[in-house]
Amino acid sequence: RSDKGDQAHHRACCQPEVICSRFPFCTAHCPILFAVIMLLLSPVFMAILWPGFAVNNDMSAFLEADSRSNSIRSAFLSALPFRDGAGSERRLDGMGLASGPRRLMTGKMPGLDSAVLYKISEVQFFYRSTADGGIFNSGVVRRIKDLELGLKDGPRWRRVCAELSTPGLNRLCDPGYSVVNALYPEITELPNGSTVEDVATIDRLLNGRGPALSSLAKDFVVKRILGSEPVLREQILPKKYVKGETIDVSRSTFYFNMVCCNIADSRDFRGKKLSELSVEWDAFIGEELYPKLMEFNRKNKDDGIPVQVYFDGTALSTYQLWMTLKSDSLMAAGSIAFIICYLTLHAGSPLVSCGAIFLTILSIPAAFVLTAVVSGSNEVTGAAFLSLFLISGLGADVVLVFVSFWKSSLSLYSEEDVAPRIIYLYRNAGLACLATTLTTAASFFANLASVLRALREFGFFMGMCILGAYMYLLVGLPALLVLNDKCKRCIRRCLKVSASGADAAGGQQEFADMKKQCASTCLDKCMVRYRYAIFVIFQVLVIGFALWTADVVKVDSAVPQMFPDGHNLNNVETIAGEFFAAKEDWAADTTKVCNFARHQSKEKFDACVYNQCQISLAEPFTTVGQSSFFTNGSVRPSAECSCMQTEVPNTRCFTLQPGHKSQLRVTTRMVGDIEPRAMAAWVKNADGLKDYAVQAAVRTNTASVRDILYSAAAGASMQVPFDSEAVGLVIQEYWETGELFATPYMVLPDYVFIVEAENSSAKAVPQFFCHAEEVCYCGAGTCTYVGQMLVEPPLSRSLWSSIEIPSPSDVVQPRELRGAEAPEVQQLQTDTLPPWPAGHPGPAMSHRRLRGTIDVALVWGLEVTSTSPLLGTVQKGWGYNPSFRPESPYAQRTLLMACKNAKERKDLLVVRTDCWIEDFKRHLERAGTPFPVPATTFASEFKGYYRGRVMSSGLVAKDFMWITPDGELQATYAQFIVSMNYNTASSSSILEYMKNWNAYVKELNADSPAEVGETWHSSRLWIRAEAEAAIVGSTVLTMVVSAGCGFLGALFFTHMDVCLSLLVILSVTGVTISLAWFMTVLMGWAVGAMEILGLIVFVGYSITYSLHIAHKYQEH
């Protein structure tokens, strides 16, 4: 330091022009100052160039390959924001369909303003249970009820369901559609002073807020309410539902209609309101919905309750992605903590380890900014978050090399000789790490040869991260090492440690010598002595792994699984496929439970979900008659029933004047379990129900009209056909013991007699007739009627009649089977008195929106002007087709026929169309204007149509149009919802299906007039299907290019040593093949985009260590 020449050299080296010319060696004289300046300038430049940040959580982005379909799709999506003359608006978040119509629906419920637009969000819960009884297991269904009511009563749910909606629409989210609503119905308000037993019918609200339903009625309620009501069945029950079978899966669906704006509001205002509603929705998901769903699964697992909920809905996938990234970030933090601890032990300084990791991580935002500037896109995929894991390991490798050379510099220079030590560090560690950095970065840059855009972007981003990490460490790590040494010296001075420190240093040297001796012994006796055998074994293993892998490898072109096994997003698509497509339908949310009344017609019986009664206490409890079945389930030769009139004397009578005709009805009610075919045969047999009806009419009426009744019997008939499936249920309670019995019950169709009062001169007097109604008990207890006292004596047994209903001969057992002969039957269950379902009536409405599986778009008036770029997405890539002239009648006819023919072609699998031209035609017809419109009047008619127009599907018409500020239609598209599942359909089936659309569009273009221009189609399905071939070819090419870059890098840094360079590549290839064998053979994984990513990452990782060894070997 006292040398004036060195001081002058020191001052000269710190001049900017010298720094630029001699970097990095000139920084050796002022490393701290230089590091501070560079680290201050770096965030300034990043802030200036910061492009914003957006995460593309669509996993299908990994399947976007360079193809014609992808170019068309990119052009179509980039054109969507320019509809309605808007050039800057982005697509609205939360859109259900990829092709762009916003999910703003007009109110179609009576009483709502049709000009009001709603942002529709939805939540679906899929429950799966392996418990006995499936979903209807009492413990399972109780847990489901607690979850759903806890959510509905939450402040955030009430906010998005009721406060931000319109009264009446909140029915779709509270109670929504759930099996809980039917199993836990709430009784409505009864008349003043009345009890449940006092009224004939009890309205029950299907809202899930009532007491638990009796286990005796659960299966019947499902069959009667959910199974027979199409809307509820499709919303709640799986496709495979069969009456009587255990249900192990069910779905609950809730729709939230949040008021957004008016159809006349500007797009900017609508966008602002939608953003505000999105904030409300995100708060609901994060603060209430997601935590409670996760708690539900966790608690059930801890308590051993075999039920799990899977969930899907608006913005839920995005939220789960962020939660997964948050969790992975904690894992990354753990790995970084481990690296810091290891570096601290190796370097002996937490300052160096923590500072080095900080410098390494700085490369990530820097690389993102540079990548965004080069590509023109600020979107990143989920793979970009792997950089936190990868760069930490690669950065640690650089730090270890730098620290090792910094320590070894003490053998040449003293601790105070900072500048020479830093120059030594740069010349050795810097050069060694430069070799591995450039080669590793090149292996990642090799992904630019991939046809998969996501892999190209990830490879470029990771390459920039590696280069950035090296540059940051090159600038900042020497300064950290210098600062660390100064701190050590300061500590030693303060603690006055010298001799002890020397002793410690001596101890450390002895430990290092011992490690070196052990390593040398192992190397000499094993590795060197058997090097040829080891080399041959390695090659044989690699070749064997390669052949094995090639034999079993499978290509997976499905959407990559970005989440761990058991994660909701991995399973929800599969379980959702077991259900019908969700519809936002309106269904009555009430039902009726009926008390056993004296009079119940077939119509009233059908309106009741089931009946209930008290068994008479007037006599000891006993069953009347016998059913068709023995107690073990075998079939008796016949059922024996005892029948009584429901009232004596009869009050349902009428007087008929001489010569007049009228209908006399006979109503028969059957209580008891009768074999279905036996009942059907008895009803149809002339000696069966008809004969019984005649006798019942005679018993009810006086002898004076008996002849008239017999005469009318010949023309008597049932009012409606008999349905053997229309069996109801009566829950009978025996008051003394509280026992409950579930007994089959049905009201048979009325037998109608046409009676005529005699008009002869001798008997020309009015005739008195009574309708007949009887209840037959076939092995069941006797019910009391509504308003009847339990101890009131029933009708005298002498007034009862008997009937016998023979069983079919092929099922009759001559005796009751016993022991091993007897089939298994379900034992009679008892339970406490059940609560019964119902609610208040709602408007009968058709569905407002159908969520299709995937959409295909037919486009007119747009041209694709560019192909996929190397990085980023196509910024425009499209233009207007000047040939498209929608004012031409020929063009209008072509658009209309394209929509109609697509629906009629079965091979296109169209389940719904959104074609504004069809709606335009209906609009003209209502106005009395013929279609197509002449070119001279098209502009005025079109402007009168599209402004504020909402189609019958609830979608805004102008969302399908590109319109100039003057109202001129420049381009348009029609949307077709097709029954192809994006996630589960195989690529081969999609490609075959795509050929059908290719053929259809080819026909359209061949037959279209010049005024239409070229028609083309677009769908996400095509992108996914074409990825399979791209994955195979791209992997081979990328690996070859990556290996080639590694070879050139090794060749350069080993001073053109071809043998060493080939050994490096051989080692890297062997490691990569071994990893491929592990993935495909040992783990059984199919090779998809994520597996390719893992292989490519491993190429970059493994080349680092092989090149280090080769570089050092060549030096020595």
Side-chain angles (χ1 to χ4, degrees), residues 502-691:
D503 292 341
Q508 292 177 359
Q509 185 62 40
E510 290 178 4
F511 180 70
D513 292 341
M514 184 178 65
K515 287 195 300 180
K516 186 178 293 185
Q517 184 178 1
C518 291
S520 177
T521 302
C522 178
L523 186 66
D524 291 339
K525 291 186 178 181
C526 298
M527 303 295 292
V528 175
R529 179 179 297 181
Y530 303 107
R531 58 188 179 276
Y532 296 112
I534 292 173
F535 179 79
V536 171
I537 291 173
F538 174 73
Q539 298 307 316
V540 170
L541 282 176
V542 169
I543 293 172
F545 285 165
L547 295 175
W548 197 347
T549 301
D551 183 56
V552 302
V553 67
K554 297 177 181 177
V555 177
D556 179 15
S557 63
V559 177
Q561 180 175 307
M562 293 289 291
F563 302 95
D565 290 337
H567 194 279
N568 176 70
L569 288 179
N570 288 340
N571 301 303
V572 69
E573 282 290 342
T574 302
I575 192 172
E578 299 181 28
F579 293 82
F580 295 98
K583 300 176 184 178
E584 192 177 15
D585 279 341
W586 292 94
D589 58 354
T590 62
T591 191
K592 294 181 182 295
V593 173
C594 300
N595 283 318
F596 205 77
R598 288 189 183 275
H599 304 293
Q600 187 175 45
S601 64
K602 174 67 173 171
E603 291 76 14
K604 290 183 178 180
F605 165 78
D606 290 338
C608 298
V609 65
Y610 51 82
N611 290 257
Q612 56 190 13
C613 78
Q614 299 287 340
I615 296 176
S616 175
L617 298 179
E619 53 190 17
F621 173 65
T622 182
T623 57
V624 178
Q626 64 181 20
S627 70
S628 296
F629 302 94
F630 290 109
T631 55
N632 66 353
S634 55
V635 182
R636 299 178 189 270
S638 63
E640 298 176 1
C641 306
S642 296
C643 306
M644 68 172 182
Q645 299 177 42
T646 58
E647 64 176 357
V648 176
N650 201 325
T651 59
R652 300 171 63 236
C653 303
F654 59 93
T655 301
L656 196 61
Q657 297 299 323
H660 288 71
K661 296 181 180 180
S662 184
Q663 292 183 346
L664 185 145
R665 297 175 178 272
V666 177
T667 303
T668 306
R669 297 155 63 180
M670 309 294 294
V671 181
D673 198 0
I674 302 174
E675 206 279 332
R677 287 191 297 163
M679 174 60 75
W682 183 74
V683 169
K684 296 177 182 178
N685 194 325
D687 297 331
L689 178 59
K690 183 173 183 178
D691 182 66

Side-chain angles (χ1 to χ4, degrees), residues 342-652:
Y342 182 81
L343 290 178
T344 301
L345 292 174
H346 182 79
S349 168
L351 173 65
V352 173
S353 58
C354 294
I357 292 300
F358 172 74
L359 292 172
T360 302
I361 293 176
L362 274 180
S363 66
I364 296 177
F368 167 71
V369 171
L370 290 175
T371 302
V373 170
V374 172
S375 67
S377 172
N378 67 342
E379 281 192 355
V380 296
T381 61
F385 292 92
L386 294 173
S387 60
L388 193 59
F389 292 91
L390 300 178
I391 203 62
S392 300
L394 291 169
D397 173 68
V398 175
V399 175
L400 291 172
V401 174
F402 268 65
V403 170
S404 296
F405 276 100
W406 182 253
K407 289 180 178 179
S408 66
S409 68
L410 290 174
S411 63
L412 300 175
Y413 306 100
S414 66
E415 190 175 2
E416 288 79 11
D417 294 331
V418 174
R421 290 181 67 191
I422 292 180
I423 293 175
Y424 173 83
L425 185 69
Y426 280 141
R427 285 176 174 167
N428 291 275
L431 186 60
C433 291
L434 178 63
T436 57
T437 297
L438 292 179
T439 308
T440 304
S443 69
F444 278 102
F445 285 138
N447 286 280
L448 292 172
S450 174
V451 297
L452 299 178
R453 180 174 63 87
L455 293 185
R456 291 200 302 268
E457 293 177 348
F458 174 76
F460 184 80
F461 174 68
M462 274 306 304
M464 296 302 296
C465 282
I466 292 168
L467 294 178
Y470 177 76
M471 292 302 299
Y472 276 113
L473 290 171
L474 192 67
V475 170
L477 190 53
L480 287 174
L481 293 171
V482 172
L483 278 175
N484 183 61
D485 284 355
K486 289 184 177 181
C487 291
K488 284 183 177 179
R489 290 196 297 269
C490 181
I491 292 173
R492 284 201 298 268
R493 283 196 299 269
C494 292
L495 299 179
K496 298 182 179 179
V497 226
S498 54
S500 60
D503 292 341
Q508 292 177 359
Q509 185 62 40
E510 290 178 4
F511 180 70
D513 292 341
M514 184 178 65
K515 287 195 300 180
K516 186 178 293 185
Q517 184 178 1
C518 291
S520 177
T521 302
C522 178
L523 186 66
D524 291 339
K525 291 186 178 181
C526 298
M527 303 295 292
V528 175
R529 179 179 297 181
Y530 303 107
R531 58 188 179 276
Y532 296 112
I534 292 173
F535 179 79
V536 171
I537 291 173
F538 174 73
Q539 298 307 316
V540 170
L541 282 176
V542 169
I543 293 172
F545 285 165
L547 295 175
W548 197 347
T549 301
D551 183 56
V552 302
V553 67
K554 297 177 181 177
V555 177
D556 179 15
S557 63
V559 177
Q561 180 175 307
M562 293 289 291
F563 302 95
D565 290 337
H567 194 279
N568 176 70
L569 288 179
N570 288 340
N571 301 303
V572 69
E573 282 290 342
T574 302
I575 192 172
E578 299 181 28
F579 293 82
F580 295 98
K583 300 176 184 178
E584 192 177 15
D585 279 341
W586 292 94
D589 58 354
T590 62
T591 191
K592 294 181 182 295
V593 173
C594 300
N595 283 318
F596 205 77
R598 288 189 183 275
H599 304 293
Q600 187 175 45
S601 64
K602 174 67 173 171
E603 291 76 14
K604 290 183 178 180
F605 165 78
D606 290 338
C608 298
V609 65
Y610 51 82
N611 290 257
Q612 56 190 13
C613 78
Q614 299 287 340
I615 296 176
S616 175
L617 298 179
E619 53 190 17
F621 173 65
T622 182
T623 57
V624 178
Q626 64 181 20
S627 70
S628 296
F629 302 94
F630 290 109
T631 55
N632 66 353
S634 55
V635 182
R636 299 178 189 270
S638 63
E640 298 176 1
C641 306
S642 296
C643 306
M644 68 172 182
Q645 299 177 42
T646 58
E647 64 176 357
V648 176
N650 201 325
T651 59
R652 300 171 63 236

Side-chain angles (χ1 to χ4, degrees), residues 65-84:
D66 292 340
S67 64
R68 174 64 178 171
S69 295
N70 189 52
S71 298
I72 290 175
R73 188 68 180 172
S74 298
F76 177 56
L77 293 179
S78 62
L80 286 176
F82 293 83
R83 293 165 297 168
D84 195 19

